[in-house]
Each structure stands twice: as structure tokens, then as C-alpha cells.
Amino acid sequence: MRYILLLYQDETGFWFRLSDAERAAEGARYEAFARALGEVGQLVAAERFEPYYTARTVRRAGDRPAVGEGAYADTPEQLGGTFIIEVADEEEALAWAARCPTFGHGVVEIRRLWQPPAAPP
């Protein structure tokens, strides 16, 4: 089963307050986490996002798109990146979420990815 780990943290309260050396150390923790997933063949993809203030939101305004500044949701934590993993079940996905560096200072949401139905024989 494929799951996505959605990594939320308060960028202004955590990441932006770190020194350059602390950011490098934190980046190394994420690289080690990705490497651990890769070593057991469970990493499908990983993406880190640009800061939340670079986001744009497109909404429908009548029959035209309206582009807004910033992330869709105005929340204390911002979506900072994702890992897509292939694991046996939800229990294993939750175990990986608890090992993710974001778990120490933010929130890791897991969601099972939709799988298309098998083609008929």
C-alpha cells in the first residue's frame, strides 16, 4: 500500500529561527530518514517545498480563475514537504511517521493513496 506522509511545521517558529549550522544538521536528519526508507525499498518519492509564502492559490471567481497570494489554509503549521512510501499497512506507515524528523517539532499526517481498481481479466 502506498501512503503519503504530509509534513507540517511552523516555519516561522522553527525553521526560520535556526542558524545555518542548525539548518544543515536538520537537513542531514531528513536525508538520513530518506536513506533509511530507501535502504529497505520503501521510498517512492520525497519532495521538500519552498516556504509557505511562495505559494499561490487558484480559485474560481465566476467563470475565471482568481489567483491568491500564499497557501490555501491559514494555519499555525505549514505543509513543508512529503514522502510517498510503499509499506505493508497503516501500522507500518504510522511507525515511519513517528521516525520522521518533523515528528519532533511538527505534525506528520499520513494518508493512504488511492489505487485504481485492477483491470478486469
Side-chain angles (χ1 to χ4, degrees):
M1 294 181 170
R2 284 190 176 184
Y3 285 84
I4 188 166
L5 307 181
L6 300 157
L7 314 180
Y8 293 91
Q9 63 188 4
D10 178 357
E11 290 179 352
T12 60
F14 176 73
W15 190 255
F16 292 145
R17 291 192 306 184
L18 298 177
S19 69
D20 289 343
E22 291 168 325
R23 282 189 191 137
E26 190 67 15
R29 291 180 62 217
Y30 282 94
E31 289 172 14
F33 178 71
R35 202 169 28 259
L37 279 163
E39 287 171 357
V40 294
Q42 293 180 316
L43 178 63
V44 175
E47 296 294 337
R48 179 178 171 200
F49 300 160
E50 290 288 326
Y52 69 94
Y53 56 80
T54 65
R56 301 296 175 260
T57 304
V58 180
R59 297 176 186 267
R60 184 175 186 93
D63 61 348
R64 311 186 102 187
V67 179
E69 301 289 320
Y72 168 68
D74 184 16
T75 61
E77 294 88 15
Q78 295 81 37
L79 180 59
T82 63
F83 285 92
I84 297 177
I85 60 175
E86 180 109 24
V87 293
D89 53 30
E90 183 176 285
E91 186 175 314
E92 193 172 4
L94 288 167
W96 278 110
R99 290 180 60 185
C100 181
T102 302
F103 176 71
H105 58 265
V107 176
V108 180
E109 176 184 349
I110 72 162
R111 288 200 190 181
R112 198 165 95 194
L113 294 177
W114 179 78
Q115 299 292 312

